[in-house]
Amino acid sequence: MAREDFEKPVYLITGFLESGKTTFLDGTIRQNYFQIPETTLLILCEEGEEEYDEKELKKRYRTVVEVIEEPEDFTTESLEYLDRKHHPERILVEFNPLWSVEKFLNMQLPADWTIVQHIVTVDASCFQVYMNNLKSLFVEMVRKADMVIFNRCRKELPLASFRRSVKVVNPAAEIIFENENHEVEDIFEDSLPYNLEDDIVDIMEEDYGIWYVDMMDNPEDYEGKTVRYKGRVLKSEDLSADFFVPGRMAMTCCADDTQFLGYVCKSKEAPRLEMGSWVEVTAEIHREYLDVYHDEGPVLYAKEIRACEAPADEMVYFN
């Protein structure tokens, strides 16, 4: 949305300590495209090793900095006070995720303040530590984010897995990878574990999540392709009798936070399939409009369906 659509646009930037929030914001503020003639209010909810040059920001970029040190002080009243004090035209919030991003997204903001962009920064070198120890907090950060920026990326890191960890929680998020020189990199050349040129593209059990996300992002690559994979039968009242969804359950955060991932499949055998049974589907993929998608999406036209054993691990993981 255009900035002029809102009286006072709010840009939320969050990420764990030392994840690159300050570097990202400081660089953004200094860009020509980000300049406005009115005051920008920058609210800091934590201070890391990197610091802002507050005098320069105020003098050259009309940006004033305010620090809120404690979560109990981050209230509607305190934000209204800062609004009256500075009369900003734009607000940037460098937010501490330990204070609960969800709480901030749901709180009442001052009049005319509207969140227009939510960005999460991630230190790729620490991502696996985040997922092992702070997974629920990370999921909360990215669930409604518009953009997730992985910085300090190195080729030897499993970056494709990092991306899937975000996409399964928030398919709409734009994901950017930057190397240690802050240059954006395309890390997905030749990264698929299957060959799209095969007559039948076999999706192995452990690669289901890769296939699901990649087809979501690159539907044109799969148009007219034939795939074969295992899925559990799901039927829905929103689909006619000759449709079903062969898919898998995926863990997005913890054992209590799972969702079913699958694409609609059309087959004359669908009415005879038992809900919850496991099948191996061989199907040709075409993109078309379906009401259940509320848009165009992948539709699988089954060539063969046969009963099969469940995978050794029925759950799909993304890290």
Side-chain angles (χ1 to χ4, degrees):
M1 296 183 180
R3 188 180 67 83
E4 55 267 22
D5 293 340
F6 303 97
E7 292 294 327
K8 295 183 179 181
V10 178
Y11 296 85
L12 167 63
I13 293 82
T14 188
F16 293 121
L17 188 65
E18 308 304 334
S19 66
K21 298 188 295 295
T22 300
T23 299
F24 170 77
L25 269 176
D26 193 52
T28 300
I29 291 169
R30 296 167 187 271
Q31 298 300 315
N32 289 334
Y33 70 84
F34 205 68
Q35 303 309 309
I36 59 174
E38 299 87 1
T39 298
T40 294
L41 169 61
L42 171 57
I43 300 173
L44 308 182
C45 300
E46 64 180 348
E47 296 185 86
E49 290 184 3
E50 297 293 328
E51 296 183 355
Y52 295 96
D53 186 332
E54 296 186 27
K55 291 183 179 179
E56 183 186 20
L57 289 184
K58 186 173 182 179
K59 181 178 180 180
R60 293 190 59 187
Y61 303 102
R62 295 171 294 280
T63 298
V64 294
V65 180
E66 292 280 358
V67 179
I68 299 178
E69 296 182 344
E70 301 296 334
E72 56 268 25
D73 295 329
F74 194 88
T75 63
T76 301
E77 292 73 23
S78 65
L79 298 182
E80 288 175 338
Y81 167 75
L82 295 178
D83 188 54
R84 292 191 302 270
K85 178 180 178 181
H86 297 292
H87 303 288
E89 179 67 17
R90 176 175 63 193
I91 300 93
L92 310 178
V93 182
E94 184 179 315
F95 192 73
N96 183 345
L98 300 180
W99 295 6
S100 178
V101 173
E102 190 69 26
K103 183 178 179 181
F104 175 46
L105 293 175
N106 292 329
M107 74 181 290
Q108 180 180 344
L109 296 177
D112 299 329
W113 286 29
T114 304
I115 298 174
V116 297
Q117 191 171 35
H118 174 186
I119 298 173
V120 177
T121 59
V122 184
D123 179 349
S125 65
C126 298
F127 181 70
Q128 289 164 311
V129 175
Y130 297 159
M131 295 304 282
N132 289 336
N133 299 284
L134 298 165
K135 189 171 185 177
S136 61
L137 280 174
F138 181 78
V139 168
E140 182 184 357
M141 275 197 295
V142 303
R143 192 183 299 280
K144 297 179 181 178
D146 300 297
M147 180 186 297
V148 179
I149 302 173
F150 285 85
N151 52 55
R152 304 164 200 168
C153 295
R154 304 189 308 274
K155 287 291 187 181
E156 62 268 23
L157 293 172
L159 301 179
S161 175
F162 295 177
R163 183 173 184 274
R164 292 192 298 272
S165 296
V166 174
K167 280 292 187 178
V168 70
V169 175
N170 182 354
E174 180 182 1
I175 302 174
I176 295 173
F177 291 88
E178 294 182 347
N179 62 25
E180 292 171 305
N181 296 319
H182 304 292
E183 297 170 338
V184 177
E185 290 200 337
D186 179 7
I187 61 149
F188 292 102
E189 292 183 75
D190 305 319
S191 65
L192 294 176
Y194 45 81
N195 186 358
L196 283 175
E197 299 307 313
D198 288 346
D199 291 338
I200 298 178
V201 181
D202 276 302
I203 310 300
M204 299 294 100
E205 296 173 6
E206 62 273 19
D207 297 329
Y208 182 87
I210 297 174
W211 169 71
Y212 178 86
V213 171
D214 193 64
M215 189 156 76
M216 180 195 308
D217 288 347
N218 305 291
E220 66 281 356
D221 293 346
Y222 293 85
E223 177 64 31
K225 302 293 184 182
T226 297
V227 297
R228 180 165 53 207
Y229 69 95
K230 289 182 178 181
R232 196 166 195 171
V233 174
L234 174 71
K235 296 185 177 183
S236 170
E237 295 179 355
D238 296 328
L239 296 169
S240 60
D242 55 349
F243 286 94
F244 74 106
V245 182
R248 301 270 299 274
M249 292 299 298
M251 183 179 295
T252 59
C253 174
C254 58
D256 295 326
D257 191 0
T258 61
Q259 67 182 93
F260 188 85
L261 303 180
Y263 295 109
V264 172
C265 181
K266 184 174 184 179
S267 171
K268 61 183 180 181
E269 299 179 39
R272 297 191 293 273
L273 297 175
E274 182 181 350
M275 180 79 162
S277 62
W278 283 91
V279 293
E280 182 181 77
V281 177
T282 304
E284 187 171 309
I285 302 168
H286 293 284
R287 185 172 177 82
E288 57 189 69
Y289 180 87
L290 280 182
D291 288 342
V292 71
Y293 288 149
H294 305 293
D295 199 351
E296 288 189 343
V299 178
L300 283 60
Y301 285 83
K303 295 181 176 181
E304 181 183 8
I305 299 175
R306 64 181 188 86
C308 68
E309 296 293 326
D313 189 342
E314 297 184 13
M315 192 69 66
V316 176
Y317 301 90
F318 288 83
N319 57 8

